[in-house]
Amino acid sequence: MAEKVRVRIFVDFWNFQIGWNDYHTKNGATVPVPIPWKELPALLAAEASKGQLAKFAGIHVYASVNSNSEKDRRLSSWLHHSMAGLTGYIVDVRERKPRKTIRCQEENCKAPITTCPVCKTPLRGTVEKGIDAAIITDLITLASDDNYDLAVLVSGDAD
């Protein structure tokens, strides 16, 4: 009998969610299309193993939230309770850190922006810290401990 390839999946939640939303919007979706989180591990493991027998070895989901946001508090609760309750899921939720200055993204500008140009409300940005490092650390640690044969990284970061 052939040996099964152990597949472990690592998901950058926000990169995946934003990419998923953009894809479906570009393809005509007028309402949000939910990610099939329950079916996702089997789909990705089968695709990644390229026809070999695959054994799902776990899925790690990394997300960040702003605890000052009611919407993010609800998301955090869902991640910790609903998603983490799915078979094989390990969920790592981290607090976003305040961003000192929000700047124009135009390469030759980079001017600080302190208020919304439309409603004049002060901007309070946050930045995701530690997600990429956590993914890399777990990828390397779990590989060193021989916890998988094949890793699937689901992200969309330029870095």
Side-chain angles (χ1 to χ4, degrees):
M1 186 169 148
E3 192 75 22
K4 290 184 179 182
V5 176
R6 298 170 299 156
V7 179
R8 191 168 287 272
I9 303 162
F10 301 84
V11 180
D12 184 322
F13 176 84
W14 282 114
N15 284 318
F16 183 42
Q17 183 69 62
I18 291 166
W20 178 273
N21 293 347
D22 288 348
Y23 171 83
H24 287 285
T25 299
K26 287 176 187 169
N27 285 288
T30 57
V31 296
V33 176
I35 295 173
W37 290 105
K38 191 172 184 179
E39 296 81 16
L40 192 65
L43 294 170
L44 291 175
E47 182 64 27
S49 65
K50 300 289 186 196
Q52 299 176 66
L53 293 175
K55 177 183 177 190
F56 170 59
I59 182 167
H60 301 255
V61 179
Y62 305 83
S64 66
V65 295
N66 178 357
S67 62
N68 293 324
S69 160
E70 178 59 34
K71 186 176 179 180
D72 275 16
R73 284 195 299 271
R74 287 192 309 271
L75 172 62
S76 181
S77 178
W78 178 79
L79 288 165
H80 280 110
H81 297 80
S82 298
M83 181 183 279
L86 296 173
T87 302
Y89 273 74
I90 299 162
V91 179
D92 184 343
V93 180
R94 295 176 182 231
E95 178 71 22
R96 289 193 198 122
K97 307 295 182 210
R99 179 180 291 178
K100 292 181 179 160
T101 305
I102 299 170
R103 297 190 177 274
C104 173
Q105 295 302 301
E106 184 61 38
E107 189 171 326
N108 295 324
C109 182
K110 303 295 182 195
I113 302 168
T114 58
T115 58
C116 173
V118 176
C119 71
K120 308 300 181 212
T121 301
L123 297 175
R124 293 177 301 268
T126 59
V127 64
E128 188 175 84
K129 284 292 193 189
I131 297 297
D132 293 346
I135 293 171
I136 292 165
T137 300
D138 287 349
L139 270 162
I140 293 169
T141 302
L142 291 165
S144 296
D145 291 342
D146 193 31
N147 279 292
Y148 62 87
D149 301 310
L150 181 65
V152 176
L153 175 59
V154 181
S155 186
D157 266 349
D159 58 348

